[in-house]
Amino acid sequence: MRATDVEAAAACYAADAVLWFPGAPEARGARAIGDAYAGFLGDMRVQEVEISDAVHQTSGDQSAGWGHFTMKLQPKKGGESVVMKGRFTEVAKKIGGRWLYVADHASADPTPAPARP
């Protein structure tokens, strides 16, 4: 993502995978996932990515992971950088000797509730 390489990002997914970007519609299948990355990386340049609290559990040829992310994004049309914080859940499967995502779900952290008086 930091290299803005749409093809490399989309190649991390199985042909029938599903991807949910924060605030975006479901992308199911290789073409839709490629289009989702093209839209995201076409508008924003990823400056920094930090993964925290990550947990992965693997059994055989399947692995699940979850945690939190922070991304610093620079709009390509100019303007101030944006920081996106959220959480993710992913499922990967070993297919043809490669680990590929079969499900990738990221969501933005919710807005904190207002303080009670």
Side-chain angles (χ1 to χ4, degrees), residues 6-115:
V6 171
E7 289 180 20
C12 295
Y13 294 81
D16 59 349
V18 62
L19 166 68
W20 291 281
F21 273 145
E26 175 181 288
R28 185 175 293 274
R31 182 179 200 147
I33 290 170
D35 290 347
Y37 271 102
F40 180 72
L41 295 174
D43 294 338
M44 298 287 195
R45 178 170 289 107
V46 178
Q47 294 177 304
E48 297 173 22
V49 177
E50 181 183 329
I51 303 294
S52 60
D53 304 319
V55 176
H56 290 89
Q57 294 184 354
T58 302
S59 180
D61 66 353
Q62 297 209 14
S63 183
W66 56 90
H68 295 94
F69 68 87
T70 302
M71 286 196 300
K72 184 176 179 184
L73 308 167
Q74 175 66 49
K76 287 185 176 178
K77 292 182 180 179
E80 294 294 317
S81 293
V82 176
V83 175
M84 178 189 294
K85 292 184 176 196
R87 55 232 160 150
F88 68 89
T89 305
E90 59 196 18
V91 179
K93 185 173 183 179
K94 200 167 199 178
I95 301 170
R98 292 184 57 217
W99 285 100
L100 299 171
Y101 292 116
V102 294
D104 184 5
H105 182 235
S107 59
D109 282 345
T111 305

